[in-house]
Amino acid sequence: SNNGTESSVTHPAGKVGNGVYMNGTTAHVQFASNFSLATSGASIAFWVNIPSGRTDQVDLITDQAGAGNSEVYRMSSANGSHLVLYDGTNNNVFSSSNISSDGAWHFVVIIVKSTSEVDVHVDNSLQTYTGITVATANLGYLSRNNGTYNANTVTFDEIGEWGKTLSSSESSDLWNSGNGQTMTTGSSSTVAGA
């Protein structure tokens, strides 16, 4: 499993049990350096709660270097609160996949079908995006960018990584009618988070 190394986080009530709260200054979680979405057939899923009223960019997951130069998944009000995949050069905007800064829990699943095609589920609504670029860096941090701890007061829960392409039914099972469920380790998955 890949449970991550926590720093300055707290564990308030999450979507399922307790979550991981980032305080906007020093808090972050560092993953082990062995998982990348750049390989076809990789998936990541997580619940996220962005406080109501946020109007700035919220970086969710960044690369191993923490330098903001590849594989940054984020919500940005500049892009209409859409989920964005930054590949080191361009923002690939998932224009139909919105994460609202409304203080509610939202479920995100990113499934890499190839290095240029990604399925994105937000709250069990599927959109397929083609012609994008998936960066090669390993996943590194929750709530960290540009080598510092970004001002992201955000809560995560049930963060799972899989070295396989999750099916729509598997994604729907994790959604569990909006109730979520506890991630568990398995032969084809690693789990990070609360």
Side-chain angles (χ1 to χ4, degrees):
S1 66
N2 176 6
N3 290 316
T5 301
E6 298 179 345
S7 179
S8 302
V9 304
T10 56
H11 297 279
K15 181 64 181 182
V16 181
N18 291 333
V20 177
Y21 174 72
M22 307 299 174
N23 60 18
T25 53
T26 58
H28 67 281
V29 175
Q30 183 174 5
F31 296 112
S33 58
N34 60 355
F35 187 83
S36 173
L37 288 178
T39 304
S40 299
S43 308
I44 187 167
F46 54 90
W47 285 90
V48 62
N49 186 320
I50 300 170
S52 180
R54 287 294 297 266
T55 59
D56 54 345
Q57 174 180 302
V58 178
D59 293 310
L60 300 176
I61 298 174
T62 62
D63 65 0
Q64 271 292 328
N69 59 0
S70 60
E71 219 168 57
V72 179
Y73 301 91
R74 62 194 180 207
M75 187 280 292
S76 172
S77 60
N79 289 295
S81 299
H82 304 308
L83 193 67
V84 173
L85 167 59
Y86 176 65
D87 64 15
T89 303
N90 301 303
N91 285 324
N92 295 288
V93 180
F94 299 146
S95 58
S96 297
S97 301
N98 298 330
I99 306 177
S100 300
S101 53
D102 56 7
W105 285 99
H106 296 282
F107 187 56
V108 177
V109 184
I110 299 173
I111 301 167
V112 178
K113 301 174 75 174
S114 74
T115 55
S116 62
E117 182 177 356
V118 175
D119 278 356
V120 179
H121 298 251
V122 176
D123 295 339
N124 211 37
S125 177
L126 169 64
Q127 296 290 331
T128 298
Y129 300 89
T130 59
I132 68 168
T133 303
V134 179
T136 58
N138 289 327
L139 299 184
Y141 298 89
L142 292 180
S143 189
R144 189 182 186 193
N145 190 20
N146 296 323
T148 60
Y149 310 115
N150 216 28
N152 292 335
T153 52
V154 60
T155 308
F156 295 91
D157 200 4
E158 303 307 319
I159 305 145
E161 304 167 349
W162 293 264
K164 63 175 240 178
T165 300
L166 292 181
S167 67
S168 292
S169 62
E170 287 171 321
S171 177
S172 183
D173 286 344
L174 294 171
W175 165 250
N176 191 22
S177 300
N179 297 309
Q181 62 173 293
T182 302
M183 303 277 187
T184 58
T185 56
S187 59
S188 62
S189 69
T190 56
V191 176

